[in-house]
Amino acid sequence: MRPIPLSDMKKGDKIVINTVRTAGNLRQRLMDIGFIEGTTVECVKISPFGDPKAYLVRGAVIALRKEDAAEIMGVETV
Amino acid sequence: MICGKIVLAGNPNVGKSTVFNALTGMKQHTGNWSGKTVGSAEGSLRRKGKEIRLIDLPGTYSLITDSAEEEVTMDYLCFEKFDGALVVCDACCLERNLIFAIQVAQLVPKTLLCVNMLDDARKKGIKIDIEALSKETGLPAVGISAANGEGLDELEKALFRLIEEPSPEFVPVRYPKALEKAIKGLAPTVKNEYGFDSVYPVLRILENDHGFASAAGKRFIKSEKMALERKKLVSELAENGILEEQIADKIAACAVFRAEEICLSAVTVSMDKTHSKDEKIDSVLTGRFLGIPVMLLLFGFIFWLTVSGANYPSALLSAAFEKVGTWLESAFVSIGMPAVLKSLLIDGVWNVLSWVVAVMLPPMAIFFPLFTILEDIGYLPRVAFNLDRGFKSAGACGKQALTMCMGLGCGAVGVTGARIIDSPRERLIAVITNSFMPCNGRLPAIITLIAIFFSGSSLLGAVILTGVVAFSVLITLAVSKILSKTVLKGVPAGFTLELPPYRMPKFGKVIVRSVFDRTVKILARAVIVAVPAGVIIWLCSNFAFGGKTLLEIFSSLLDPFARLFGLDGNILCGFILSFPANEIALPIMAMGYSGGELAELGSMAETAGLFAANGFTNITAVCTIIFFLFHWPCATTLITIRKETGSFKWTFLSVAVPLITGLSLCFCVNIISKLFL
């Protein structure tokens, strides 16, 4: 399966993260929250203007902007 | 007898402040959003003659950080002296919380786990096996629901045991073999050079973490020996296939997987309805078509309740004040007080005081509890989620919506709250534009002006007020954009925004807390300022030079300038003199118009008559409302801005930006009205 970025997910989609390309401070923050390889992420909310989207990760709902979510790639699960 | 000192740490919004309040009997503010507590608080837990000092640190996702908000916690845990740490975790989201708990346990030998909000978790079908948690981690653990007191007694006992008994046997995180070897290799040097026993600093030094290095740099002399040792170990790691830039990721990943492993044996989710109820609510509150209209309706509704609910108590209060005033006056006469002094006390001090209380107290007492309910439910982060797109195109951070909401209560609180914004550039934007949100000192004045000039009904008044605040939000976005294209150039930095689960607020507590803590506090400040202000204004309007009072001289000097902007000298005078607290702006204006002899200030009809008699038109009212929104922050807020930014330049800009904004908008309104009306 071809990996897709988190930002392309639709509400209800689930993926398993396989790459986190984010750099700098945000990378550390994402790690602390649990956005790391092998983690299942579900897109649960999309804000009224389509960006940001919110993702369910390790029991918490975290919103990310399009640019930031685009740096995280994953493979779709069924 | 103080037998020890324990710090409270944990992820943001896990109810840490609630636990702290329950243990110490203190009243730290709480709210359902990340970043509510920005400073640290200290209190005492007493039991059977023994006392533990508790320090409540701001919530943080990690000890590895470059952010201002989290630095406080990192600094304290790494470098201060204390006996143990209490890590508060949210039962609904234990896995994520354990990632942080593991970091703390790697640093502090005496770490106690406290799983909070068990009641919420139960409702969601999440079961936590506290015993298994304790066994898996090797740390003592207690399960509680701080909000309703469940398990608090057990927690207190556990805290005393933590201090009195030897350190628990924390089950260490396992790292890949090569990494383990490097950690073991570096540990003795770190102990020798810096004096750390725990593994945590070794990890940070090995991965060359910036935040830790700069914090350590302030306390220790740079160690060449350690740098050499690290270099050697890092090149060994590279030979084993772990490159230098991968070290930090590997270390972090091991902790995350460890947390996952612990949860496998400690957490059971019986039904998969964890998020379904919240999803339903959110499909309305953050929905594509409904999100924004519902938000406007919600704020409009709160404003309507404030506007309509405030009228009646306001009238009652002003009648009561008038009665007491008359009574005081006759009392003063009967004790033979000189007429001048009596006039000073009654016309000056008493009248300004009664205006401030009668006009300000009712809206505050209604608005604050309503707003606190929104906050406790967890709605505010949704506002940020809904509006973030706008902030992004303005080059700002979506969390600015949260600091703006705080600014609706009090500007100084909004400015301090801006610490939740990680990027310094975006934080400054939020600080400089924070005064655009009408705080509770200005909101009642705006409500009064709307009521006098634009609406007979409170419903229309609320609609107009919602429009006024929405206008202010748009101007905030526009000015933020201008700032990020000029003095604060830069691209938006990435950030994460947590949307907490909705929680049922404790209504009784909300009312007590918001009325007694917030309202009384802000009102007390207004009253303290109102008394001397009453004296000064009375003096200004009663001492005459060459047939003109000081106030008249001052206003007539300002008048030609003020008229350019659709205001008049007296209004501008009111704004300038109310610099200590915005609450007194309107009473000063009224006193100026009435020549220092004002009576029955609370009565709407008389105020309307007084203002109209002095040439106050609808256009003047529009300009005055605009100037109320955008002039300069009050003294308290400015002092806070100076403290938070540490610079006079940004403090100055925080005055200049709103002032220029307000003057240009008023100028436009004035010109347009002259041309077309």
Side-chain angles (χ1 to χ4, degrees):
Chain A
M1 269 261 225
R2 220 164 50 88
I4 60 156
L6 246 62
S7 51
D8 283 0
M9 288 170 79
K10 286 189 234 9
K11 202 171 154 175
D13 285 357
K14 272 189 192 178
I15 63 163
V16 175
I17 297 178
N18 67 9
T19 352
V20 181
R21 295 183 307 208
T22 320
N25 287 347
L26 185 61
R27 183 184 183 85
Q28 184 59 49
R29 170 58 46 85
L30 290 171
M31 298 255 166
D32 301 330
I33 292 174
F35 277 102
I36 61 165
E37 278 169 44
T39 305
T40 308
V41 174
E42 183 186 343
C43 178
V44 285
K45 303 180 216 301
I46 297 176
S47 95
F49 298 110
D51 173 32
K53 294 179 183 173
Y55 307 90
L56 175 64
V57 59
R58 294 181 190 273
V61 178
I62 307 287
L64 292 176
R65 279 182 181 167
K66 204 162 97 190
E67 296 73 14
D68 303 326
E71 297 296 307
I72 304 171
M73 314 282 287
V75 181
E76 262 179 285
T77 63
V78 194
Chain B
M1 186 191 75
I2 297 181
C3 57
K5 197 164 156 187
I6 288 182
V7 292
L8 264 81
N11 278 177
N13 200 28
V14 293
K16 226 156 34 61
S17 296
T18 315
V19 173
F20 177 80
N21 289 346
L23 290 173
T24 61
M26 287 172 72
K27 291 192 201 79
Q28 282 282 305
H29 278 234
T30 56
N32 187 8
W33 54 284
S34 307
K36 177 74 207 190
T37 311
V38 283
S40 51
E42 250 188 273
S44 281
L45 163 66
R46 292 189 183 82
R47 203 184 161 96
K48 292 179 187 152
K50 288 185 288 187
E51 180 182 342
I52 294 179
R53 293 296 288 163
L54 289 173
I55 295 105
D56 185 20
L57 296 173
T60 162
Y61 287 109
S62 169
L63 292 179
I64 310 163
T65 179
D66 268 340
S67 102
E69 181 205 7
E70 301 188 324
E71 222 176 65
V72 184
T73 306
M74 195 259 298
D75 245 41
Y76 201 101
L77 284 171
C78 289
F79 305 109
E80 295 293 325
K81 271 193 123 59
F82 55 89
D83 301 289
L86 172 65
V87 180
V88 183
C89 301
D90 177 355
C92 304
C93 180
L94 189 60
E95 190 178 320
R96 221 271 312 286
N97 284 254
L98 279 177
I99 303 173
F100 174 74
I102 288 170
Q103 287 184 356
V104 176
Q106 285 179 326
L107 178 65
V108 185
K110 287 191 172 186
T111 295
L112 170 66
L113 295 178
C114 166
V115 183
N116 190 16
M117 299 194 259
L118 282 182
D119 50 346
D120 280 6
R122 269 193 297 265
K123 276 180 217 150
K124 290 179 173 171
I126 301 170
K127 230 187 110 209
I128 313 279
D129 184 344
I130 299 290
E131 224 167 282
L133 176 66
S134 175
K135 210 174 134 211
E136 269 290 315
T137 54
L139 300 171
V142 184
I144 66 163
S145 304
N148 60 29
E150 178 191 334
L152 281 175
D153 191 59
E154 185 50 42
L155 176 62
E156 287 183 14
K157 284 185 203 153
L159 282 168
F160 280 98
R161 276 203 303 273
L162 185 71
I163 288 188
E164 284 152 8
E165 290 172 7
S167 302
E169 299 272 328
F170 171 60
V171 179
V173 178
R174 287 180 308 274
Y175 296 98
K177 230 181 187 166
L179 207 52
E180 282 288 353
K181 201 177 146 215
I183 295 164
K184 286 218 174 73
L186 191 60
T189 323
V190 172
K191 185 171 164 52
N192 276 337
E193 299 291 301
Y194 283 2
F196 284 114
D197 272 321
S198 50
V199 67
Y200 180 82
V202 182
L203 298 174
R204 297 294 83 80
I205 290 164
L206 189 66
E207 69 189 19
N208 203 15
D209 173 52
H210 256 283
F212 184 82
S214 74
K218 286 179 205 150
R219 290 169 179 83
F220 305 110
I221 305 159
K222 202 169 176 252
S223 160
E224 288 302 327
K225 203 176 141 202
M226 199 159 66
L228 276 174
E229 181 72 20
R230 178 184 175 271
K231 212 170 165 191
K232 194 190 91 193
L233 290 164
V234 166
S235 58
E236 269 179 39
L237 271 174
E239 283 163 28
N240 283 300
I242 299 178
L243 300 175
E244 187 170 1
E245 62 269 22
Q246 294 172 330
I247 299 175
D249 282 11
K250 280 265 189 299
I251 291 175
C254 288
V256 175
F257 289 128
R258 178 73 189 122
E260 196 178 296
E261 204 175 85
I262 296 168
C263 281
L264 276 180
S265 51
V267 183
T268 36
V269 183
S270 56
M271 12 178 188
D272 199 18
K273 62 172 190 186
T274 324
H275 290 274
S276 61
K277 210 164 119 200
D278 280 8
E279 288 319 320
K280 267 186 212 132
I281 304 174
D282 267 332
S283 63
V284 176
L285 294 186
T286 67
R288 189 163 165 206
F289 300 109
L290 289 174
I292 303 289
V294 169
M295 187 180 77
L296 288 172
L297 274 178
L298 211 56
F299 277 96
F301 180 64
I302 287 186
F303 288 140
W304 175 70
L305 285 178
T306 309
V307 172
S308 62
N311 283 335
Y312 186 62
S314 267
L316 276 186
L317 274 173
S318 69
F321 268 104
E322 207 195 321
K323 234 180 214 152
V324 178
T326 334
W327 178 82
L328 273 178
E329 203 166 353
S330 54
F332 288 163
V333 171
S334 71
I335 59 166
M337 186 182 276
V340 177
L341 188 58
K342 191 203 74 185
S343 169
L344 169 74
L345 288 176
I346 298 290
D347 300 331
V349 175
W350 185 254
N351 276 343
V352 173
L353 191 73
S354 35
W355 175 292
V356 168
V357 176
V359 175
M360 300 292 154
L361 177 64
M364 273 189 211
I366 298 170
F367 180 81
F368 270 134
L370 291 173
F371 191 75
T372 311
I373 289 173
L374 271 197
E375 197 184 339
D376 282 13
I377 287 177
Y379 182 63
L380 299 192
R382 269 77 182 181
V383 173
F385 183 62
N386 283 344
L387 295 179
D388 178 63
R389 192 59 240 280
F391 286 97
K392 185 165 100 178
S393 28
C397 178
K399 289 185 192 169
Q400 193 174 330
L402 288 170
T403 69
M404 285 163 72
C405 286
M406 290 293 97
L408 269 180
C410 169
V413 175
V415 168
T416 323
R419 286 190 206 163
I420 57 168
I421 299 170
D422 292 338
S423 143
R425 184 188 74 84
E426 289 159 22
R427 189 161 57 239
L428 280 171
I429 293 179
V431 166
I432 291 171
T433 57
N434 193 264
S435 67
F436 287 13
M437 277 292 109
C439 66
N440 254 264
R442 288 178 280 162
L443 215 51
I446 296 173
I447 292 175
T448 309
L449 286 174
I450 292 175
I452 293 178
F453 291 94
F454 301 107
S455 83
S457 77
S458 46
L459 185 64
L460 182 61
V463 172
I464 296 176
L465 184 60
T466 313
V468 166
V469 175
F471 172 70
S472 204
V473 172
L474 289 179
I475 296 292
T476 304
L477 288 173
V479 172
S480 298
K481 172 130 200 168
I482 294 171
L483 285 174
S484 59
K485 291 273 176 233
T486 53
V487 278
L488 286 163
K489 252 193 204 121
V491 284
F495 72 98
T496 59
L497 172 72
E498 179 157 7
L499 303 178
Y502 286 109
R503 285 184 193 128
M504 213 38 190
K506 303 254 177 303
F507 291 98
K509 245 188 203 164
V510 162
I511 290 168
V512 171
R513 214 175 60 212
S514 47
V515 171
F516 288 95
D517 296 0
R518 290 190 178 181
T519 312
V520 171
K521 214 161 134 195
I522 291 183
L523 196 71
R525 187 176 71 105
V527 168
I528 290 167
V529 175
V531 172
V535 173
I536 291 171
I537 298 155
W538 184 87
L539 290 175
C540 286
S541 51
N542 281 279
F543 274 91
F545 292 96
K548 273 187 160 182
T549 67
L550 275 177
L551 201 61
E552 279 163 356
I553 296 171
F554 195 35
S555 341
S556 56
L557 269 178
L558 291 171
D559 203 60
F561 175 74
R563 295 223 177 257
L564 284 176
F565 306 99
L567 308 167
D568 66 29
N570 183 53
I571 301 171
L572 198 52
C573 209
F575 278 113
I576 292 171
L577 289 176
S578 67
F579 174 61
N582 285 303
E583 287 87 341
I584 58 172
L586 214 51
I588 296 178
M589 292 172 201
M591 196 174 231
Y593 284 142
S594 63
E597 303 262 326
L598 66 116
E600 286 177 66
L601 266 173
S603 145
M604 211 66 101
E606 296 209 15
T607 315
L610 177 67
F611 276 55
N614 282 277
F616 211 96
T617 63
N618 284 2
I619 296 302
T620 325
V622 170
C623 291
T624 310
I625 290 173
I626 291 177
F627 210 63
F628 257 113
L629 293 175
F630 318 106
H631 56 293
W632 47 76
C634 71
T636 318
T637 309
L638 265 189
I639 293 168
T640 313
I641 293 175
R642 171 71 183 81
K643 233 180 0 207
E644 288 294 312
T645 61
S647 114
F648 280 113
K649 181 185 165 194
W650 300 119
T651 316
F652 171 75
L653 266 179
S654 306
V655 174
V657 168
L659 184 58
I660 292 167
T661 310
L663 288 180
S664 5
L665 285 169
C666 287
F667 184 76
C668 292
V669 170
N670 187 36
I671 290 294
I672 291 168
S673 74
K674 289 260 157 65
L675 288 178
F676 296 100
L677 301 177

